């Protein structure tokens, strides 16, 4: 039982709140019974369970390294307003995307909620994977992890240089779609291709021009009201379900 937030293990766990600490250890924190259970059901490796002393744990937790802490100490580890008293340290994993299925490419997505939502939606839509381009928020940011609702553990996600990735995908017979509000056709007027790599871009700037130039199609979602544009995660969801349908 750890009773002090000054304990070295607790200090090490708190370092996982920052990208630097996650990168140095190759691990990240997931918090809450649902996310911990989703990690367990996947092929990701749980390194350790951290639990508040008063919490009832599933039986399987006893099979893993298990550390108990007081409620006050758990609050030092937690990054949520109402902690559930269970967290896990999970080993990072670089995935291999499914090159026989549609893919989502993300160019400079900065909002953690948007990234997490798109991961969850791509999982729900049955996409074969996600490639994160430079400038995209860290996959293991706690807000991203929570917003995925566990889909992080169920769809392959990797980091990549999107210009090079697009070239390789074209060699693998992908049709590349990029989103833009300018010089674009309505997505509903586009034929559904066998294998689509869909690029969506930064919340403010959109998809980089250099990536648009590499795309086979530039598509947009028509706006019928007064809004200037759609939230990027909403737009990605509409397009992924159209492509998959």
């Amino acid at each position: 039982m750890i009773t002090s937030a000054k304990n070295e293990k607790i200090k090490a766990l708190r370092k996982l709140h920052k990208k630097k600490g996650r990168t140095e250890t190759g691990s990240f924190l997931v918090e809450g019974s649902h996310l911990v259970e989703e990690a367990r059901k996947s092929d990701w490796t749980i390194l350790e369970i951290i639990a508040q002393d008063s919490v009832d744990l599933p039986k399987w937790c006893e099979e893993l390294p298990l550390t108990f802490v007081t409620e006050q100490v758990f609050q030092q580890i937690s990054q949520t307003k109402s902690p559930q008293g269970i967290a896990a340290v999970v080993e990072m994993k670089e995935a291999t995307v499914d090159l026989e299925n549609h893919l989502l490419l993300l160019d400079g997505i900065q909002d953690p909620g948007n990234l997490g939502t798109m991961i969850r939606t791509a999982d729900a839509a049955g996409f074969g994977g996600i490639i994160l381009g430079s400038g995209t928020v860290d996959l293991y940011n706690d807000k991203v992890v929570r917003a995925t609702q566990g889909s992080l553990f169920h769809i392959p996600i990797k980091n990549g240089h999107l210009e090079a990735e697009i070239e390789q995908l074209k060699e693998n017979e992908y049709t590349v779609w990029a989103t833009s509000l300018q010089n674009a056709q309505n997505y509903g007027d586009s034929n559904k291709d066998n294998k689509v790599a869909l690029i969506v871009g930064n919340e403010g700037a959109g998809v980089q021009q250099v990536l648009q130039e590499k795309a086979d199609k530039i598509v947009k979602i028509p706006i019928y009201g007064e809004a200037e544009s759609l939230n990027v995660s909403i737009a990605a969801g509409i397009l992924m379900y159209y492509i998959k349908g």
Side-chain angles (χ1 to χ4, degrees), residues 105-109 131-137 158-162:
L105 279 57
L106 302 180
D107 177 28
I109 299 299
I131 303 175
L132 308 179
S134 61
T136 296
V137 62
K158 71 173 210 173
N159 292 290
H161 188 273
L162 291 188

Short mmCIF file of all heavy atoms in Angstrom, two decimals, residues 105-109 131-137 158-162:
data_model
loop_
_atom_site.label_atom_id
_atom_site.label_comp_id
_atom_site.label_asym_id
_atom_site.label_seq_id
_atom_site.Cartn_x
_atom_site.Cartn_y
_atom_site.Cartn_z
N LEU A 105 -6.22 9.01 -42.96
CA LEU A 105 -4.95 9.73 -42.77
C LEU A 105 -5.24 11.08 -42.15
O LEU A 105 -6.11 11.82 -42.63
CB LEU A 105 -4.23 9.92 -44.11
CG LEU A 105 -3.42 8.74 -44.68
CD1 LEU A 105 -4.25 7.49 -44.86
CD2 LEU A 105 -2.76 9.15 -46.01
N LEU A 106 -4.54 11.40 -41.07
CA LEU A 106 -4.82 12.62 -40.32
C LEU A 106 -3.65 13.58 -40.40
O LEU A 106 -2.54 13.26 -39.98
CB LEU A 106 -5.13 12.27 -38.86
CG LEU A 106 -6.33 11.31 -38.67
CD1 LEU A 106 -6.56 11.02 -37.20
CD2 LEU A 106 -7.59 11.87 -39.32
N ASP A 107 -3.94 14.76 -40.93
CA ASP A 107 -2.90 15.76 -41.18
C ASP A 107 -2.99 16.90 -40.16
O ASP A 107 -3.82 17.80 -40.31
CB ASP A 107 -3.05 16.31 -42.61
CG ASP A 107 -2.06 17.40 -42.94
OD1 ASP A 107 -0.95 17.40 -42.36
OD2 ASP A 107 -2.40 18.26 -43.78
N GLY A 108 -2.18 16.84 -39.12
CA GLY A 108 -2.08 17.95 -38.19
C GLY A 108 -3.30 18.17 -37.32
O GLY A 108 -3.63 19.31 -37.00
N ILE A 109 -3.98 17.10 -36.91
CA ILE A 109 -5.13 17.23 -36.01
C ILE A 109 -4.61 17.59 -34.62
O ILE A 109 -3.80 16.86 -34.05
CB ILE A 109 -5.94 15.92 -35.95
CG1 ILE A 109 -6.49 15.57 -37.34
CG2 ILE A 109 -7.07 16.03 -34.92
CD1 ILE A 109 -7.42 16.59 -37.93
N ILE A 131 -3.39 6.51 -40.04
CA ILE A 131 -2.00 6.99 -40.09
C ILE A 131 -1.99 8.43 -39.62
O ILE A 131 -2.70 9.28 -40.16
CB ILE A 131 -1.41 6.86 -41.50
CG1 ILE A 131 -1.48 5.40 -42.00
CG2 ILE A 131 0.05 7.34 -41.51
CD1 ILE A 131 -1.03 5.20 -43.43
N LEU A 132 -1.19 8.70 -38.60
CA LEU A 132 -1.11 10.03 -38.01
C LEU A 132 0.07 10.78 -38.60
O LEU A 132 1.22 10.36 -38.47
CB LEU A 132 -0.93 9.93 -36.48
CG LEU A 132 -1.94 9.05 -35.73
CD1 LEU A 132 -1.60 9.04 -34.25
CD2 LEU A 132 -3.36 9.53 -35.97
N GLY A 133 -0.20 11.89 -39.26
CA GLY A 133 0.85 12.71 -39.84
C GLY A 133 1.47 13.65 -38.81
O GLY A 133 0.98 13.79 -37.68
N SER A 134 2.55 14.31 -39.21
CA SER A 134 3.23 15.24 -38.30
C SER A 134 2.30 16.37 -37.90
O SER A 134 1.42 16.78 -38.66
CB SER A 134 4.49 15.81 -38.98
OG SER A 134 4.13 16.53 -40.14
N GLY A 135 2.50 16.87 -36.69
CA GLY A 135 1.67 17.94 -36.18
C GLY A 135 0.40 17.47 -35.51
O GLY A 135 -0.35 18.28 -34.96
N THR A 136 0.14 16.16 -35.55
CA THR A 136 -1.05 15.61 -34.89
C THR A 136 -0.76 15.41 -33.42
O THR A 136 0.34 15.00 -33.03
CB THR A 136 -1.46 14.29 -35.56
OG1 THR A 136 -1.85 14.56 -36.91
CG2 THR A 136 -2.61 13.62 -34.84
N VAL A 137 -1.76 15.66 -32.59
CA VAL A 137 -1.62 15.52 -31.14
C VAL A 137 -1.19 14.08 -30.80
O VAL A 137 -1.51 13.13 -31.51
CB VAL A 137 -2.95 15.89 -30.43
CG1 VAL A 137 -4.08 14.97 -30.84
CG2 VAL A 137 -2.79 15.88 -28.93
N LYS A 158 -0.79 4.08 -36.64
CA LYS A 158 0.65 4.29 -36.69
C LYS A 158 0.96 5.73 -37.04
O LYS A 158 0.12 6.45 -37.58
CB LYS A 158 1.30 3.34 -37.70
CG LYS A 158 1.00 3.66 -39.16
CD LYS A 158 1.84 2.77 -40.07
CE LYS A 158 2.17 3.46 -41.37
NZ LYS A 158 3.10 2.72 -42.22
N ASN A 159 2.17 6.16 -36.73
CA ASN A 159 2.65 7.48 -37.14
C ASN A 159 3.36 7.35 -38.48
O ASN A 159 3.98 6.32 -38.76
CB ASN A 159 3.63 8.03 -36.09
CG ASN A 159 2.93 8.36 -34.78
OD1 ASN A 159 2.17 9.30 -34.69
ND2 ASN A 159 3.19 7.56 -33.75
N GLY A 160 3.28 8.39 -39.29
CA GLY A 160 3.94 8.31 -40.59
C GLY A 160 4.11 9.67 -41.22
O GLY A 160 3.49 10.66 -40.83
N HIS A 161 5.00 9.72 -42.21
CA HIS A 161 5.19 10.92 -43.02
C HIS A 161 4.20 10.82 -44.17
O HIS A 161 4.34 9.96 -45.06
CB HIS A 161 6.64 10.97 -43.54
CG HIS A 161 6.98 12.25 -44.22
ND1 HIS A 161 6.74 12.45 -45.57
CD2 HIS A 161 7.53 13.41 -43.75
CE1 HIS A 161 7.13 13.67 -45.91
NE2 HIS A 161 7.60 14.26 -44.83
N LEU A 162 3.18 11.67 -44.19
CA LEU A 162 2.05 11.44 -45.07
C LEU A 162 2.40 11.50 -46.56
O LEU A 162 1.83 10.75 -47.36
CB LEU A 162 0.92 12.43 -44.76
CG LEU A 162 0.22 12.22 -43.41
CD1 LEU A 162 -1.00 13.14 -43.31
CD2 LEU A 162 -0.17 10.78 -43.18
#
